[in-house]
Amino acid sequence: MEKYYTITQLTREFGISTRTLRFYEDEGLIHPERRGRTRLFRPADRRLIQEILRGRRIGFTVAEIREIIHVYKDPPGEIGQLQLLMRKVNEKREELRQKRKDIDDTLSELDNVEEACLTRMAEIGVST
Protein backbone atom coordinates (compact mmCIF):
# COMPACT_ATOMS: atom_id res chain seq x y z
CA MET A 1 0.00 0.00 0.00
CA GLU A 2 1.33 3.40 -1.01
CA LYS A 3 1.98 5.97 1.72
CA TYR A 4 0.29 9.33 1.42
CA TYR A 5 1.20 12.66 2.95
CA THR A 6 -1.32 15.26 4.02
CA ILE A 7 -0.99 18.93 3.17
CA THR A 8 -0.30 19.63 6.86
CA GLN A 9 2.56 17.12 6.98
CA LEU A 10 4.20 18.63 3.91
CA THR A 11 3.79 22.23 5.01
CA ARG A 12 5.43 21.41 8.33
CA GLU A 13 8.22 19.37 6.74
CA PHE A 14 9.14 22.02 4.18
CA GLY A 15 8.25 25.12 6.18
CA ILE A 16 5.83 26.41 3.57
CA SER A 17 2.21 27.46 3.66
CA THR A 18 -0.81 25.53 2.45
CA ARG A 19 -1.33 28.42 0.06
CA THR A 20 2.07 27.67 -1.51
CA LEU A 21 1.15 24.04 -2.12
CA ARG A 22 -2.22 25.03 -3.56
CA PHE A 23 -0.44 27.54 -5.82
CA TYR A 24 1.90 24.83 -7.13
CA GLU A 25 -1.13 22.65 -7.73
CA ASP A 26 -2.96 25.47 -9.56
CA GLU A 27 0.16 26.02 -11.67
CA GLY A 28 0.13 22.34 -12.69
CA LEU A 29 3.41 21.50 -10.97
CA ILE A 30 1.95 18.90 -8.62
CA HIS A 31 -1.14 16.74 -8.86
CA PRO A 32 -2.23 15.36 -5.49
CA GLU A 33 -5.02 12.85 -5.30
CA ARG A 34 -8.27 14.11 -3.88
CA ARG A 35 -10.62 12.34 -1.56
CA GLY A 36 -13.48 14.72 -1.09
CA ARG A 37 -11.89 17.99 -0.03
CA THR A 38 -8.73 16.29 1.22
CA ARG A 39 -5.54 16.40 -0.83
CA LEU A 40 -3.33 13.34 -0.55
CA PHE A 41 0.24 13.58 -1.76
CA ARG A 42 2.22 10.56 -2.95
CA PRO A 43 5.96 10.12 -2.29
CA ALA A 44 6.54 11.25 -5.90
CA ASP A 45 4.64 14.49 -5.13
CA ARG A 46 6.82 15.00 -2.06
CA ARG A 47 10.02 14.58 -4.11
CA LEU A 48 8.65 16.96 -6.72
CA ILE A 49 7.89 19.56 -4.03
CA GLN A 50 11.50 19.21 -2.81
CA GLU A 51 12.76 19.87 -6.34
CA ILE A 52 10.36 22.79 -6.88
CA LEU A 53 11.56 24.43 -3.66
CA ARG A 54 15.17 23.80 -4.62
CA GLY A 55 14.53 25.41 -8.00
CA ARG A 56 12.93 28.42 -6.32
CA ARG A 57 15.89 28.76 -3.92
CA ILE A 58 18.35 28.96 -6.81
CA GLY A 59 16.21 31.53 -8.56
CA PHE A 60 14.16 29.64 -11.14
CA THR A 61 10.73 31.02 -11.90
CA VAL A 62 7.63 28.87 -11.64
CA ALA A 63 7.43 28.93 -15.45
CA GLU A 64 11.01 27.64 -15.75
CA ILE A 65 10.32 24.89 -13.22
CA ARG A 66 7.16 23.90 -15.08
CA GLU A 67 9.12 23.72 -18.34
CA ILE A 68 11.78 21.50 -16.76
CA ILE A 69 9.16 19.18 -15.26
CA HIS A 70 7.21 18.88 -18.51
CA VAL A 71 10.32 18.09 -20.56
CA TYR A 72 10.85 15.06 -18.33
CA LYS A 73 7.31 13.81 -18.89
CA ASP A 74 7.42 14.12 -22.68
CA PRO A 75 10.04 13.03 -25.21
CA PRO A 76 13.02 13.32 -25.07
CA GLY A 77 12.43 12.59 -21.37
CA GLU A 78 15.21 12.62 -18.84
CA ILE A 79 17.95 13.41 -21.36
CA GLY A 80 16.06 16.45 -22.59
CA GLN A 81 15.30 17.49 -19.03
CA LEU A 82 18.96 17.30 -18.04
CA GLN A 83 20.04 19.27 -21.11
CA LEU A 84 17.40 21.93 -20.43
CA LEU A 85 18.36 22.07 -16.77
CA MET A 86 22.02 22.56 -17.67
CA ARG A 87 21.11 25.45 -19.99
CA LYS A 88 18.96 27.04 -17.28
CA VAL A 89 21.72 26.59 -14.67
CA ASN A 90 24.24 28.28 -16.97
CA GLU A 91 21.82 31.13 -17.70
CA LYS A 92 21.16 31.62 -13.97
CA ARG A 93 24.89 31.52 -13.21
CA GLU A 94 25.59 34.21 -15.83
CA GLU A 95 22.72 36.30 -14.49
CA LEU A 96 24.17 36.11 -10.98
CA ARG A 97 27.68 36.94 -12.21
CA GLN A 98 26.29 40.04 -13.92
CA LYS A 99 24.45 41.03 -10.75
CA ARG A 100 27.68 40.57 -8.76
CA LYS A 101 29.52 42.79 -11.24
CA ASP A 102 26.76 45.40 -11.04
CA ILE A 103 26.96 45.37 -7.23
CA ASP A 104 30.76 45.64 -7.28
CA ASP A 105 30.53 48.58 -9.72
CA THR A 106 27.94 50.30 -7.52
CA LEU A 107 30.06 49.79 -4.39
CA SER A 108 33.07 51.23 -6.19
CA GLU A 109 31.05 54.26 -7.29
CA LEU A 110 29.83 54.76 -3.72
CA ASP A 111 33.45 54.67 -2.52
CA ASN A 112 34.32 57.34 -5.12
CA VAL A 113 31.44 59.57 -4.03
CA GLU A 114 32.39 59.16 -0.38
CA GLU A 115 36.03 60.02 -1.13
CA ALA A 116 34.98 63.10 -3.10
CA CYS A 117 32.77 64.23 -0.20
CA LEU A 118 35.56 63.72 2.34
CA THR A 119 38.04 65.61 0.14
CA ARG A 120 35.67 68.53 -0.33
CA MET A 121 34.83 68.62 3.37
CA ALA A 122 38.57 68.80 4.17
CA GLU A 123 38.98 71.61 1.62
CA ILE A 124 36.31 73.72 3.28
CA GLY A 125 37.55 72.97 6.78
CA VAL A 126 34.87 70.60 8.01
CA SER A 127 36.19 67.77 10.15
CA THR A 128 34.75 64.28 9.94
Side-chain angles (χ1 to χ4, degrees), residues 98-112:
Q98 183 59 51
K99 285 180 182 179
R100 180 190 297 158
K101 182 187 177 312
D102 293 345
I103 289 170
D104 289 343
D105 291 349
T106 301
L107 287 170
S108 178
E109 189 60 30
L110 289 169
D111 290 343
N112 293 339

Side-chain angles (χ1 to χ4, degrees), residues 6-7 22 25 32-41:
T6 65
I7 197 167
R22 288 187 194 110
E25 182 181 359
E33 289 185 22
R34 287 184 171 265
R35 293 208 184 127
R37 293 177 43 117
T38 303
R39 289 172 175 84
L40 296 174
F41 297 85

Side-chain angles (χ1 to χ4, degrees), residues 29 48 52 65-73 81:
L29 299 176
L48 196 50
I52 291 166
I65 293 168
R66 183 185 311 104
E67 181 183 7
I68 292 165
I69 290 169
H70 286 283
V71 166
Y72 181 80
K73 292 178 180 177
Q81 183 188 42

Side-chain angles (χ1 to χ4, degrees), residues 21-33:
L21 284 179
R22 288 187 194 110
F23 173 73
Y24 293 152
E25 182 181 359
D26 291 343
E27 290 294 314
L29 299 176
I30 55 176
H31 305 282
E33 289 185 22

Side-chain angles (χ1 to χ4, degrees), residues 24 48-62 64-65 68 85 92:
Y24 293 152
L48 196 50
I49 292 164
Q50 276 182 306
E51 293 305 316
I52 291 166
L53 295 173
R54 182 179 185 199
R56 295 296 292 149
R57 273 193 311 277
I58 61 175
F60 288 150
T61 65
V62 170
E64 289 171 322
I65 293 168
I68 292 165
L85 185 54
K92 190 60 61 185

